[in-house]
Amino acid sequence: MKYRCLLCGYIYDPEVGDPDNDIDPGTAFEDLPDDWECPECGAGKDEFEPVED
Amino acid sequence: MNSIEVKKGIYWVGSVDWNVRDFHGYTTSRGSSYNAYLIVDEKIALIDSVKHGFRQDMLAKIAEHVDPSKIDYVISNHTEPDHSGELLAVMQQAPQSQLIASAKGEKGLRQYYPGDYPCRVVKTGDTLNLGRYELSFINTPMLHWPDSMFTYLASEKLLFSMDAFGQHLASNQRFDVDVDFDILMHEAKTYYANIIMHLGSIVAKTLKAASELAIETVCPSHGVIWTKHLPDIISRYQDWCAFKPAGKVLVIYDSMWHSTEMMAEQIVAGATEEGVQAQLIRLPNHDLTNVVTEILDADAVVVGSPTLNNGMMPTVAAFLTYIKGLKPAKKIGFAFGSHGWSGGGAAQVGQEMEATGIEIVREPIVCQYRPDQAVLDQCLSAGKELAQHAKSC
Ligand SMILES: [Fe+2]
Ligand SMILES: [Fe+2]
Ligand SMILES: [Fe+2]
């Protein structure tokens, strides 16, 4: 499932991951490290909400 | 106007924009200022610049204290062009100068202002020694852009806060104690509501982090410098980021042939009978900037539109689009409006209101052509209910 940053609007797509921050494609949002931050704005995981497709 | 000394060797070298009235859509009824700050020490630093077009004004103020070509560090607290607009011009005059910015700041600045200039990327805790003074940096992402940061001078208990605590307020005075307190607070509130309202969780986090620093003076990038009234603005920011309500009902609408207006007036009348503050706001006559300021601390927001071509009026749609992005919290409301035949305007308003985060407490109140007594009574009692809610908060 995709997740949207409530602060800046960035969408985390598990199919893409976050390669700039060493998150491989295929990593589910739930499996991101606790200290992972939004690559756009630095928000923590708790600032994200699931996106209904 | 000349530069003004803030602390020993630290000067305001910004520009007052007396006549700006449209700041990217924000109605700046009292103008604004773009605050750049110069620190003259063994090394010379400039913190932020001014909007494009105010270059000579800023350079002349810098030149009162130091040759602008001697600047060593150009610190960008925030990438937005009202502050970065003349950074490049300064660096071109001072070829040995180095840009200091956050990682996001560098990325954005190089896109706005392509060039080969050297840049040092800083993050929370990093310092810059100027001789007598040592600056430190604090990342404040999304307050209100990803690049945003504070520059802090611990020895002077001085915080350069960029847009945070800013006010669009043109004045020849530079300190809070020298301007009218109520006007100052009103402009600070308008600024918060229109620029930062949707980022309340970040504001709360930042206020908490800032409370651990010793701060006596806050130099924002718009308006006057906070000194004596710093505790006042901090406590207002605490109220605003918590959406603390003021006991207030807003009835916001547009109308074609006065039917929706008659309904709006009855809702206000109902709230008034309950002794609660209520305002009647017909959209095209009010700037959205000012409407949003009222929304920040409202308890109830009801929105009315007649049906135009099977939908809501574009004035109402524009308003709802604007407040959707600002995510007002802790408000109740409902939609209302008249129609001729098929209807649909009020229902569409209700759907859009829900998307803004306003809690919808009833189905839309609608009427055909003219509200009859039954509809007017319904509006009156709905206004009373909103007022009762406002009193209970
Ligand atoms: Fe984000
Ligand atoms: Fe800004
Ligand atoms: Fe600004």
Side-chain angles (χ1 to χ4, degrees):
Chain A
M1 174 133 34
K2 292 180 184 171
Y3 276 72
R4 176 189 293 112
C5 174
L6 292 171
L7 300 177
C8 77
Y10 165 84
I11 291 184
Y12 177 78
D13 181 348
E15 282 182 25
V16 178
D18 179 15
D20 289 349
N21 296 294
D22 302 319
I23 303 296
D24 293 331
T27 307
F29 184 82
E30 293 74 15
D31 296 333
L32 291 169
D34 287 343
D35 60 353
W36 179 83
E37 290 181 340
C38 171
E40 277 306 322
C41 78
K45 281 180 76 177
D46 55 339
E47 305 278 7
F48 280 73
E49 71 173 12
V51 185
E52 314 297 336
D53 284 307
Chain B
M1 262 180 78
N2 295 332
S3 68
I4 284 160
E5 188 171 49
V6 181
K7 297 264 180 185
K8 194 172 182 326
I10 302 175
Y11 306 92
W12 173 84
V13 293
S15 293
V16 178
D17 197 349
W18 292 96
N19 297 313
V20 63
R21 288 296 178 270
D22 179 356
F23 183 92
H24 65 41
Y26 177 132
T27 301
T28 44
S29 312
R30 290 191 171 91
S32 192
S33 74
Y34 316 112
N35 298 337
Y37 298 94
L38 178 74
I39 306 180
V40 181
D41 200 342
E42 284 163 37
K43 296 283 186 181
I44 315 288
L46 180 71
I47 301 178
D48 289 320
S49 71
V50 289
K51 198 166 93 171
H52 184 66
F54 291 88
R55 177 190 309 185
Q56 291 314 328
D57 186 52
M58 177 183 68
L59 290 175
K61 289 192 181 84
I62 293 172
E64 290 170 24
H65 306 283
V66 67
D67 178 345
S69 71
K70 300 275 189 290
I71 290 173
D72 297 288
Y73 302 109
V74 175
I75 300 168
S76 172
N77 275 342
H78 177 27
T79 302
E80 199 164 8
D82 50 333
H83 311 295
S84 66
E86 297 294 356
L87 290 177
L88 195 60
V90 173
M91 289 190 285
Q92 280 164 349
Q93 288 221 0
Q96 80 293 348
S97 66
Q98 184 185 33
L99 177 68
I100 311 269
S102 66
K104 295 281 178 202
E106 182 193 20
K107 198 172 158 214
L109 290 167
R110 289 204 190 277
Q111 290 176 74
Y112 271 129
Y113 316 105
D116 280 338
Y117 44 85
C119 177
R120 179 185 159 203
V121 168
V122 291
K123 58 179 190 316
T124 299
D126 288 350
T127 58
L128 177 67
N129 199 296
L130 300 176
R132 195 156 49 95
Y133 289 141
E134 184 175 73
L135 299 173
S136 61
F137 305 99
I138 302 156
N139 292 121
T140 59
M142 285 317 283
L143 189 62
H144 68 125
W145 278 21
D147 47 79
S148 300
M149 68 175 192
F150 290 162
T151 296
Y152 178 54
L153 179 52
S155 62
E156 298 301 311
K157 301 188 171 84
L158 180 64
L159 185 73
F160 298 94
S161 65
M162 41 96 220
D163 283 339
F165 310 113
Q167 334 94 45
H168 282 312
L169 177 61
S171 173
N172 65 343
Q173 303 300 313
R174 290 276 57 86
F175 295 96
D176 52 2
V177 289
D178 297 320
V179 296
D180 182 279
F181 180 77
D182 293 333
I183 290 175
L184 172 61
M185 287 306 183
H186 179 76
E187 290 304 333
K189 181 183 176 188
T190 302
Y191 192 88
Y192 181 94
N194 284 273
I195 306 286
I196 328 180
M197 189 199 292
H198 56 305
L199 302 167
S201 66
I202 305 248
V203 173
K205 224 192 278 180
T206 308
L207 288 174
K208 198 163 167 280
S211 71
E212 281 153 28
L213 303 173
I215 302 173
E216 282 175 359
T217 308
V218 167
C219 296
S221 57
H222 298 285
V224 296
I225 294 166
W226 298 98
T227 56
K228 183 176 163 224
H229 297 307
L230 183 58
D232 300 302
I233 189 63
I234 300 270
S235 95
R236 298 283 174 106
Y237 261 56
Q238 272 154 350
D239 290 348
W240 295 334
C241 72
F243 286 96
K244 188 176 168 196
K248 190 166 75 175
V249 173
L250 303 182
V251 182
I252 300 167
Y253 69 103
D254 201 353
S255 195
M256 292 163 71
W257 298 105
H258 302 296
S259 294
T260 301
E261 184 156 64
M262 289 167 71
M263 298 167 80
E265 285 166 355
Q266 283 303 300
I267 299 168
V268 169
T272 306
E273 278 184 27
E274 289 291 321
V276 162
Q277 223 195 112
Q279 296 179 31
L280 189 69
I281 298 172
R282 185 170 174 165
L283 278 173
N285 302 355
H286 294 250
D287 280 314
L288 292 186
T289 305
N290 296 327
V291 178
V292 158
T293 308
E294 294 299 327
I295 285 178
L296 177 63
D297 55 3
D299 296 74
V301 178
V302 294
V303 184
S305 175
T307 296
L308 174 68
N309 307 329
N310 300 325
M312 63 178 146
M313 288 185 75
T315 45
V316 179
F319 161 69
L320 289 169
T321 299
Y322 188 39
I323 65 165
K324 192 162 141 187
L326 290 170
K327 300 182 188 164
K330 295 193 191 161
K331 291 153 205 340
I332 64 164
F334 59 83
F336 66 98
S338 67
H339 62 269
W341 43 103
S342 308
Q348 199 184 17
V349 169
Q351 282 160 14
E352 286 300 307
M353 282 177 79
E354 212 162 352
T356 69
I358 294 171
E359 186 196 337
I360 304 297
V361 292
R362 65 181 301 156
E363 289 299 305
I365 304 179
V366 297
C367 76
Q368 196 165 14
Y369 293 113
R370 274 279 180 261
D372 59 13
Q373 197 55 48
V375 168
L376 293 176
D377 289 347
Q378 211 184 351
C379 290
L380 190 78
S381 65
K384 286 184 188 177
E385 283 162 25
L386 296 174
Q388 283 154 5
H389 166 83
K391 283 197 272 193
S392 72
C393 286

